[in-house]
Amino acid sequence: MHVDDDYDDAAGYYVDGDPIADTKAPQGPLEERWDTRQFEARIANPANRRRLSVIVVGTGLAGAAAAATLGEAGYVVKSFCYQDSPRRAHSIAAQGGINAAKNYKGDGDSVFRLFYDTIKGGDYRARESNVYRLAQVSRNIIDQCVAQGVPFAREYGGLLDNRSFGGVQVSRTFYARGQTGQQLLIGAYQALERQVAAGTVKCYSRHEMVELIVVDGRARGIIVRDLVTGEIETYFADVVVLANGGYGNVFFLSTNAMGSNVTASWRAHRKGALMANPCYTQIHPTCIPVSGSHQSKLTLMSESLRNDGRIWVPKKKADCEKNPRDIPEEDRDYYLERIYPAFGNLVPRDIASRQAKNMCDEGRGVGPEVDGVRRGVYLDFADAMERLGHDAIAEKYGNLFDMYARITGEDPYTTPMRIYPAVHYVMGGLWVDYDLQSTIPGLFVTGEANFSDHGANRLGASALMQGLADGYFVLPNTIRDYLAEGPFDKVAEDDPAVVEAQQSVQAQIDKFMNTNGTRSVDSYHRELGNIMWEYCGMERTADGLKKAIDLIRSLRDDFWRNVKVLGSAETMNQSLERAGRVADFFELGELMCIDALNRRESCGGHFRGESQTDEGEALRHDGKYAYVAAWEWTGLDEKPVLHKENLEYEFVEMKQRSYK
């Protein structure tokens, strides 16, 4: 499809702004840039560090690692999470593994190959400098985690074992059965608790950030709500770090924890932090299918299962109701192996997800009908069981198989799993420069909360890698350049910026408590999620996105008129918590649709129906859309401003992806 240079589906929905650029990334040879930046970054001397304070919001891998490392360096750190313990951060749910360019298998892996796979997997919509740094740092992560005692799987000679993930042809994923996120988080948590005991870090659990304090153009603190007492509290620091994860719960049904939200990032966005590529959503191909309207979340089955499981559907629609074991081999369509012979079942997530949808749209989906459609494909371990035996499969995937059996009542050792794509991860997030600093000086953003490393699609096992890379190695080396200017002047409690922030928080709470409507918060969230999935989910079109924007605006207006929040604001009140989060999801959802409408190309997880090849593959348009879309908030019901950061590739050639 040819794209008219003057044509813009989103015309009228936004305003063009000035270009934006990353001024912190060094030039020169790619492999030397990170070393150059570390050397050039200024250093805060040890005596000053004791007088410099850092707030870290979030205690997942990025947040816990950052707080622990900054505490170890001697800074005064305050760590905040809305969970009852840092150990309950959503990083714990990651299953399959963490990538690192160690080349333990001797199969041709290298830092450059990890860099290239990540750039290609992200459909050439990520920065070269950031991605290469991530590949470099990946090797250090494994060494640190082993030293912490993370129980990675090992092969017979004692070396750490590796397995493959989608989008690559080497084995570089380190894992601890299907509990990798949990084990890595325990490692980061114990590092964090070590600093708590040393007195350098103070943890505030059950505290949710509800506003960012910006004084004289710098981030200087946060306002939080104590989720147990309902008290509104204000905390100041020299710098604020957001590590609050992604916003996949805008879709209501996702693999995210029920409490995962965008509020910390969105409140920062409203204070001036640009939001980059918000439409880039990852749909994970291996989730347990929706079973009915009663569900409030979906369960992920690790992508690692695609190492040994074969994905198929019946060739004939008439066979979809049969027991899969009664369908002979010649009547099965191993469609990923057929369409993508070079990568087979290990194609990237966006491609595997889209093909699963295509099979079900053709009427060849399996499992029970939900709303008249069978949304499922088989993930079959029969060949692997015959080749490796029950015990070997149980050792590699046993806890995943047990979880599937408990949820579905089916034994995956004897009956193929049923899987279907679901919202999982987001590549979009707050815009940051090479130092991980947002457009608000003093506000740094790490892990899934920023946009920087994955382009339009994240490769499997790279989320844990980025979180720990940012927390342990990148942020501690870049934040010191900013903190070297400190200590900063103390912020007065009665500073107008502080008072304004406190009043805005209280005003929203009062609004919720005084709107005596008739609909629950969850009913609005579910309806918003349905709109987002239907029109901004696995496939987007101009007409659908415009319809979604109208529906979101109408539903948001109704939300503010007719929502009912039960209980009191001066106590534990989960209805009030969710109301604030859903209010932010409404505004985010609209921006996601505008961003998707503006990008009339298909790339990675963003698939525009108007832009595809004759074979139905994603079709990019590099001449028009090779940029990061960084959006500026201008006010409720005002048009956002689009700032473009051009992506230039010096070390890899931008070309249409092929996994065939």
Side-chain angles (χ1 to χ4, degrees):
M1 185 198 77
H2 174 71
V3 174
D4 187 331
D5 287 341
D6 297 324
Y7 190 81
D8 183 0
D9 288 324
Y13 288 90
Y14 74 98
V15 176
D16 269 318
D18 295 330
I20 191 171
D22 176 12
T23 59
K24 301 285 183 61
Q27 299 302 304
L30 191 60
E31 63 274 11
E32 296 177 9
R33 292 180 178 179
W34 178 225
D35 289 339
T36 299
R37 182 59 189 142
Q38 289 181 87
F39 177 74
E40 291 178 347
R42 294 167 294 174
I43 295 175
N45 75 63
N48 277 347
R49 291 177 209 163
R50 294 191 292 271
R51 299 156 55 203
L52 291 165
S53 56
V54 181
I55 284 173
V56 181
V57 180
T59 57
L61 290 182
T69 307
L70 294 171
E72 181 75 38
Y75 299 102
V76 179
V77 181
K78 299 184 184 76
S79 169
F80 293 84
C81 68
Y82 68 78
Q83 296 91 347
D84 55 7
S85 165
R87 282 185 58 177
R88 292 178 66 87
H90 187 56
S91 298
I92 202 170
Q95 298 166 346
I98 177 171
N99 289 329
K102 286 287 198 180
N103 195 31
Y104 280 1
K105 293 289 188 181
D107 55 2
D109 200 12
S110 64
V111 168
F112 192 88
R113 189 176 295 277
L114 175 53
F115 155 74
Y116 178 79
D117 286 344
T118 305
I119 288 284
K120 178 183 176 183
D123 222 350
Y124 304 93
R125 290 295 179 262
R127 296 174 179 154
E128 284 186 324
S129 294
N130 287 69
V131 176
Y132 194 86
R133 174 176 67 185
L134 178 64
Q136 285 178 296
V137 168
S138 71
R139 299 171 299 175
N140 302 339
I141 297 171
I142 303 303
D143 296 338
Q144 173 140 338
C145 292
V146 169
Q148 289 175 337
V150 174
F152 288 119
R154 295 179 180 267
E155 49 89 45
Y156 78 100
L159 289 177
L160 301 184
D161 198 10
N162 292 124
R163 54 192 180 196
S164 296
F165 262 60
V168 304
Q169 292 179 306
V170 297
S171 294
R172 65 163 68 102
T173 303
F174 296 78
Y175 64 98
R177 296 185 74 191
Q179 306 171 350
T180 314
Q182 177 177 341
Q183 299 300 334
L184 290 171
L185 186 62
I186 290 172
Y189 172 72
Q190 70 180 14
L192 176 65
E193 288 301 305
R194 180 175 184 270
Q195 296 309 311
V196 171
T200 64
V201 177
K202 184 171 182 181
C203 285
Y204 298 83
S205 61
R206 302 296 288 151
H207 283 69
E208 180 171 29
M209 174 182 161
V210 290
E211 187 58 281
L212 178 71
I213 296 172
V214 179
V215 178
D216 296 329
R218 295 177 184 261
R220 293 303 309 273
I222 62 173
I223 297 176
V224 301
R225 181 173 181 269
D226 184 322
L227 299 183
V228 176
T229 67
E231 185 176 354
I232 304 301
E233 302 170 359
T234 303
Y235 295 89
F236 300 108
D238 294 303
V239 68
V240 177
V241 177
L242 298 186
N244 52 293
Y247 49 80
N249 271 355
V250 68
F251 291 88
F252 188 74
L253 284 177
S254 79
T255 67
N256 287 234
M258 289 294 291
S260 296
N261 63 84
V262 75
T263 290
S265 291
W266 195 254
R267 304 295 166 88
H269 173 58
R270 291 178 62 135
K271 282 295 180 74
L274 300 188
M275 178 66 75
N277 299 335
C279 79
Y280 285 164
T281 306
Q282 180 166 85
I283 311 295
H284 198 293
T286 52
C287 298
I288 297 178
V290 175
S291 58
S293 60
H294 61 281
Q295 285 181 262
S296 54
K297 80 174 301 293
L298 298 174
T299 302
L300 173 69
M301 288 283 99
S302 169
E303 183 178 322
S304 63
L305 296 169
R306 292 200 277 155
N307 275 276
D308 291 304
R310 300 179 69 193
I311 296 173
W312 64 276
V313 293
K315 290 181 179 179
K316 307 170 188 173
K317 294 181 182 180
D319 287 346
C320 292
E321 295 184 29
K322 289 184 178 179
N323 185 316
R325 288 287 168 250
D326 294 336
I327 302 174
E329 192 73 13
E330 61 270 19
D331 289 337
R332 301 179 180 187
D333 181 8
Y334 295 92
Y335 57 89
L336 292 179
E337 298 172 30
R338 169 174 57 82
I339 302 172
Y340 309 101
F343 283 74
N345 296 299
L346 287 173
V347 293
R349 291 174 172 179
D350 59 313
I351 292 174
S353 295
R354 201 154 53 247
Q355 290 298 349
K357 179 180 183 294
N358 290 342
M359 297 302 116
C360 295
D361 288 348
E362 290 177 13
R364 293 195 285 146
V366 299
E369 290 188 357
V370 177
D371 297 328
V373 181
R374 300 181 192 278
R375 292 184 178 90
V377 300
Y378 288 126
L379 179 60
D380 195 338
F381 286 84
D383 287 357
M385 292 282 289
E386 185 174 339
R387 185 177 72 253
L388 302 172
H390 179 283
D391 291 347
I393 294 297
E395 183 176 354
K396 294 170 75 172
Y397 310 115
N399 62 306
L400 297 173
F401 277 42
D402 292 344
M403 183 168 65
Y404 181 87
R406 285 197 300 271
I407 291 172
T408 66
E410 300 172 2
D411 180 5
Y413 290 104
T414 59
T415 302
M417 287 184 178
R418 286 179 293 105
I419 58 170
Y420 192 71
V423 172
H424 178 54
Y425 188 90
V426 293
M427 285 69 64
L430 293 180
W431 186 93
V432 293
D433 60 19
Y434 191 71
D435 282 0
L436 304 185
Q437 186 171 210
S438 74
T439 45
I440 299 176
L443 178 68
F444 291 76
V445 191
T446 62
E448 191 180 358
N450 74 35
F451 87 101
S452 64
D453 292 356
H454 305 297
N457 175 63
R458 177 176 67 79
L459 291 180
S462 287
L464 303 184
M465 175 176 64
Q466 186 208 352
L468 290 180
D470 285 358
Y472 281 139
F473 300 106
V474 178
L475 180 77
N477 280 295
T478 59
I479 199 172
R480 58 184 170 85
D481 182 71
Y482 180 84
L483 287 171
E485 300 176 20
F488 300 95
D489 292 338
K490 187 176 180 181
V491 177
E493 292 271 1
D494 60 353
D495 187 286
V498 177
V499 174
E500 184 277 329
Q502 293 169 335
Q503 289 175 343
S504 69
V505 168
Q506 191 61 51
Q508 185 183 72
I509 292 174
D510 292 344
K511 172 71 172 172
F512 283 133
M513 301 312 301
N514 294 328
T515 302
N516 191 25
T518 61
R519 284 188 61 177
S520 70
V521 175
D522 283 356
S523 73
Y524 282 106
H525 192 184
R526 185 183 291 274
E527 187 171 346
L528 171 64
N530 288 340
I531 296 169
M532 294 299 296
W533 177 251
E534 185 68 27
Y535 301 110
C536 196
M538 293 182 69
E539 181 172 333
R540 296 99 183 256
T541 65
D543 289 344
L545 289 164
K546 290 175 181 178
K547 181 176 181 179
I549 293 169
D550 289 340
L551 290 172
I552 291 169
R553 289 173 175 174
S554 175
L555 186 63
R556 185 189 70 208
D557 290 344
D558 188 73
F559 170 81
W560 283 109
R561 288 194 309 266
N562 200 33
V563 71
K564 187 173 186 65
V565 176
L566 300 172
S568 165
E570 288 76 37
T571 185
M572 182 182 291
N573 189 336
Q574 292 185 321
S575 178
L576 178 59
E577 294 169 33
R578 289 196 291 268
R581 297 167 187 171
V582 172
D584 295 328
F585 280 143
F586 273 117
E587 295 171 10
L588 167 68
E590 180 178 334
L591 184 62
M592 290 172 68
C593 293
I594 294 173
D595 187 38
L597 191 59
N598 170 253
R599 190 174 290 274
R600 200 186 206 207
E601 68 167 350
S602 295
C603 55
H606 168 65
F607 191 82
R608 281 289 296 269
E610 301 92 340
S611 185
Q612 54 185 303
T613 66
D614 292 339
E615 294 80 30
E617 302 289 354
L619 181 62
R620 294 196 326 270
H621 300 287
D622 297 335
K624 186 173 174 66
Y625 297 111
Y627 60 77
V628 174
W631 296 90
E632 177 187 350
W633 170 266
T634 57
L636 195 62
D637 297 323
E638 299 294 329
K639 295 175 183 178
V641 177
L642 173 59
H643 303 271
K644 297 177 182 178
E645 176 196 339
N646 289 327
L647 292 169
E648 298 178 1
Y649 284 84
E650 300 177 60
F651 302 94
V652 297
E653 178 188 356
M654 297 177 74
K655 55 188 178 183
Q656 295 295 329
R657 287 190 304 169
S658 175
Y659 292 93
K660 297 182 177 181

